Amino acid sequence: DTAVSQTPKYLVTQMGNDKSIKCEQNLGHDTMYWYKQDSKKFLKIMFSYNNKELIINETVPNRFSPKSPDKAHLNLHINSLELGDSAVYFCATRQGSSYNEQFFGPGTRLTVL
Amino acid sequence: GQQLNQSPQSMFIQEGEDVSMNCTSSSIFNTWLWYKQDPGEGPVLLIALYKAGELTSNGRLTAQFGITRKDSFLNISASIPSDVGIYFCAGQNPYNFGNEKLTFGTGTRLTIIP
């Protein structure tokens, strides 16, 4: 079983569309994250949720809205997609308490045309 | 956002050579992590460090948590073709309790020359 999974793997869409990326984890971890990796491979945190509660929101445009229906899922919805949103988006999880290791999903490559 | 200074930015080596890379920060961290990313995949955790001065190995990989808590290095001995990829360091600020997040380095791209 994959510990952290994301769907879809690839997403190609037109500017102005609304799209969602899904993340699921079977590790039982408390905290989940969304990261954006740009073309230069810089990894930047976007959001984190702990037990369905938003903890971190790193000055991300409000076109991006994370949703956590339960502890095992953290989805990312993006409205009115722009060319600059093209990137690879990674979901990650962290066990919590004193364990700081984060475990990443395989990524979703978003291309906005 | 903040990023850690990671060097070198890229390395071109021959199979069998040893590799060394490091990360430095202006802030102290209570955790240093090292990740490897293969093309088209997510970063995979290699080594986690929790104490200043700690030296930890994982097979041919060895990483150290700097005494000042502001730096860390990763060594790879006797490199093999599957070591190719991008290596990232990541640190966690000790003052963000309840708001834990990692700051990532800029990455070191390792290429093995035939």
Side-chain angles (χ1 to χ4, degrees):
Chain A
D1 284 344
T2 304
V4 184
S5 59
Q6 294 179 229
T7 53
K9 176 75 171 173
Y10 301 96
L11 183 55
V12 181
T13 188
Q14 299 283 339
M15 229 172 25
N17 283 351
D18 303 338
K19 291 293 178 185
S20 292
I21 306 172
K22 296 185 177 181
C23 177
E24 178 179 1
Q25 58 113 347
N26 62 8
L27 297 168
H29 287 177
D30 294 330
T31 309
M32 297 182 73
Y33 302 82
W34 277 109
Y35 286 85
K36 181 180 180 180
Q37 187 175 47
D38 62 22
S39 58
K40 294 183 178 179
K41 303 300 183 184
F42 293 153
L43 269 164
K44 185 176 179 182
I45 188 171
M46 301 173 67
F47 301 101
S48 82
Y49 266 75
N50 186 292
N51 282 320
K52 303 197 299 176
E53 180 184 350
L54 179 65
I55 301 297
I56 296 173
N57 181 337
E58 288 284 309
T59 60
V60 177
N62 57 15
R63 298 182 295 105
F64 290 78
S65 53
K67 286 185 172 53
S68 182
D70 55 57
K71 190 175 157 182
H73 296 85
L74 181 63
N75 303 324
L76 184 65
H77 188 76
I78 315 170
N79 289 329
S80 304
L81 279 156
E82 300 177 357
L83 294 177
D85 297 333
S86 295
V88 182
Y89 292 84
F90 288 101
C91 176
T93 71
R94 174 177 165 272
Q95 182 174 348
S97 187
S98 58
Y99 298 97
N100 294 326
E101 296 104 275
Q102 292 186 20
F103 299 90
F104 284 79
T108 295
R109 180 175 291 277
L110 172 65
T111 303
V112 183
L113 303 175
Chain B
Q2 180 190 4
Q3 284 168 336
L4 300 176
N5 295 316
Q6 187 171 343
S7 65
Q9 191 172 28
S10 58
M11 301 184 74
F12 296 86
I13 63 168
Q14 291 191 319
E15 186 176 349
E17 286 188 36
D18 296 343
V19 170
S20 185
M21 60 191 78
N22 67 78
C23 271
T24 58
S25 170
S26 56
S27 310
I28 62 170
F29 290 115
N30 64 354
T31 302
W32 281 98
L33 306 174
W34 285 92
Y35 288 86
K36 177 177 182 264
Q37 185 177 21
D38 291 329
E41 302 293 333
V44 173
L45 182 66
L46 300 174
I47 293 179
L49 302 160
Y50 282 95
K51 291 182 182 178
E54 179 182 356
L55 186 70
T56 297
S57 293
N58 178 5
R60 294 177 296 106
L61 278 61
T62 301
Q64 184 159 29
F65 192 140
I67 288 290
T68 65
R69 299 170 68 188
K70 293 183 178 182
D71 60 354
S72 178
F73 73 75
L74 175 70
N75 285 344
I76 306 172
S77 62
S79 58
I80 59 177
S82 61
D83 291 335
V84 166
I86 302 177
Y87 292 80
F88 291 99
C89 63
Q92 179 155 307
N93 187 312
Y95 304 116
N96 287 342
F97 184 75
N99 187 25
E100 288 84 359
K101 64 178 181 180
L102 295 176
T103 300
F104 278 82
T106 47
T108 296
R109 185 182 294 272
L110 180 63
T111 302
I112 293 185
I113 307 167

